[in-house]
Amino acid sequence: MARSALLNVMVQAAMKAGRSLSRDFGEVQNLQVSMKGPGDYVSQADRKAEDILFTELSKARPGYAFLMEERGAIKGDDDQHRWIVDPLDGTTNFLHGIPIFSISIALERQGQIVAAVIYNPAMDELYTTERGGGAFMNDRRLRVAGRSKLTDCVIGCGVPHLGRGHHGNFLVELRNVMAEVSGVRRMGSAALDLAYVAAGRMDGFWETGLSAWDIAAGLLLIREAGGFVSDMDGGQDMLEAGSVVAGNEVIQRALLKAVKKPLSAR
Ligand code: IPD
Ligand code: CA
Ligand code: CA
C-alpha cells in the first residue's frame, strides 16, 4: 500500500514510539510482582513515548502546533495545523501487563482532522487513514460491520472508575444498552475501541468524559471506514464534548437512542 509523505511521517513516529513502549511493556510485566508496582515506571514510559513523538513530528513538520496529553497545548508558527497526540492510550492496561494499549496521532488542518494513525505495538496492528483515502489496518482496507439490528451487535464502552465520570449516568446507559445487544465490551483504550469499530470487530461504541487526544484519530478512521460518529447529543462536537457514539449508519443511530433512553421509558 503506497502511503503519502505525510502519513509516512506519522507512521515512522508511531513505530519509533511503539518500539520504546514495547521495551518498557516487557519490563512492566516483570515489575508486577514488586510491592510498589510499576506505577512510576509507567509514567516514565508514557513521557518517553511522548518525547519521541514530539521530536519526530516537530522535526518532520516544523511549526505545527500540538495538543498532547502530557505537554498540553503547544502553539506553533503555523496556525493551520495541529497534532493531537496520546502517546499511551490504555495506561491502566499497560500498567497491569494487559497488551491492549495504543499510540494515537491525529493531524488537524484548519480545524478538520485530515490524517490519523493508531498503533498497538503489542499486537503490531497499525491503523492509518487520510481524509478521502479510506482506512487501513496494516495493508488491509477497513470497513465497519454491516449488521443492522442491535440485537446482533457487540458494543464497546468506557466504564467510569474511582474519581472519574458520572457513575449513576453510566449505569443507566449500560442498563439500556445491555438489554438490547448480544454483548458489551470494555477494552480500556478509547483509541483502539474506535479502531475496532472501524475494523468491524465491534459494531458500535460509546463513551463520555473523554479528551480530544483519546478520540481525534479514531473518529476519522471510522468515517473513512464508512461509519458514523456523533457526540452524546447527536451533534458533531465530539472533541469539545469529550463524548462519542459510533457505528454504521443504522447502529450508530440505534445506539444513540438506546444510550439516551430515560429510565422512565423502560
Ligand atoms: C483512557 C482510555 C480509557 C478511557 C479513559 C481514558 P489513558 O486514556 O482511553 O479507555 O476509558 O477515559 O482516559 O488515560 O489510558 O490515556
Ligand atoms: Ca494517555
Ligand atoms: Ca487516553
Side-chain angles (χ1 to χ4, degrees):
M1 188 194 86
R3 291 194 185 112
S4 71
L6 170 68
L7 212 48
N8 258 327
V9 161
M10 297 168 73
V11 167
Q12 292 315 317
M15 301 290 266
K16 190 163 181 190
R19 284 192 291 277
S20 171
L21 282 182
S22 288
R23 277 192 300 273
D24 288 335
F25 186 64
E27 192 53 33
V28 159
Q29 289 170 303
N30 297 331
L31 291 172
Q32 294 301 337
V33 288
S34 75
M35 284 300 278
K36 193 163 157 268
D40 290 347
Y41 193 84
V42 171
S43 316
Q44 268 180 43
D46 196 347
R47 271 197 300 272
K48 241 193 287 173
E50 191 172 289
D51 287 349
I52 292 171
L53 293 168
F54 182 72
T55 307
E56 294 298 309
L57 295 173
S58 352
K59 206 161 54 180
R61 293 291 184 276
Y64 283 19
F66 280 87
L67 176 65
M68 306 186 97
E69 182 165 19
E70 309 302 327
R71 281 178 164 78
I74 302 162
K75 277 212 164 82
D77 303 333
D78 178 335
D79 59 6
Q80 308 285 301
H81 292 94
R82 178 169 76 146
W83 299 112
I84 303 179
V85 176
D86 192 341
L88 171 56
D89 187 56
T91 322
T92 307
N93 284 342
F94 190 93
L95 180 71
H96 287 260
I98 300 170
I100 303 174
F101 56 89
S102 60
I103 291 161
S104 176
I105 308 173
L107 178 66
E108 216 177 47
R109 180 174 298 138
Q110 296 170 332
Q112 200 170 52
I113 306 159
V114 293
V117 169
I118 296 172
Y119 182 47
N120 177 351
M123 294 179 188
D124 199 23
E125 288 187 344
L126 176 71
Y127 299 85
T128 54
T129 185
E130 258 184 297
R131 195 156 177 264
F136 296 83
M137 196 223 340
N138 297 337
D139 284 338
R140 184 165 68 84
R141 192 166 183 136
L142 299 180
R143 187 81 208 151
V144 290
R147 295 185 185 83
S148 57
K149 285 192 266 152
L150 262 188
T151 46
D152 298 330
C153 287
V154 167
I155 302 294
C157 66
V159 181
H161 49 85
L162 184 67
R164 283 281 295 271
H166 194 295
H167 296 195
N169 285 354
F170 172 73
L171 288 173
V172 174
E173 292 161 13
L174 179 64
R175 195 176 136 157
N176 289 340
V177 173
M178 70 196 216
E180 293 193 38
V181 302
S182 75
V184 178
R185 298 287 181 273
R186 196 298 192 245
M187 293 217 302
S189 162
L192 277 184
D193 283 311
L194 295 174
Y196 274 35
V197 173
R201 290 175 172 172
M202 296 199 299
D203 301 280
F205 172 72
W206 94 96
E207 185 166 359
T208 61
L210 292 163
S211 300
W213 48 77
D214 297 318
I215 54 177
L219 297 176
L220 182 63
L221 205 64
I222 291 188
R223 286 199 188 111
E224 288 296 325
F228 286 72
V229 284
S230 81
D231 58 34
M232 284 288 275
D233 295 320
Q236 289 298 303
D237 294 325
M238 291 75 70
L239 296 190
E240 297 74 19
S243 67
V244 60
V245 181
N248 68 28
E249 187 172 10
V250 179
I251 295 304
Q252 197 278 337
R253 227 179 304 127
L255 180 58
L256 179 64
K257 198 168 155 210
V259 164
K260 299 285 284 184
K261 199 192 296 179
L263 253 192
S264 54
R266 301 196 48 82

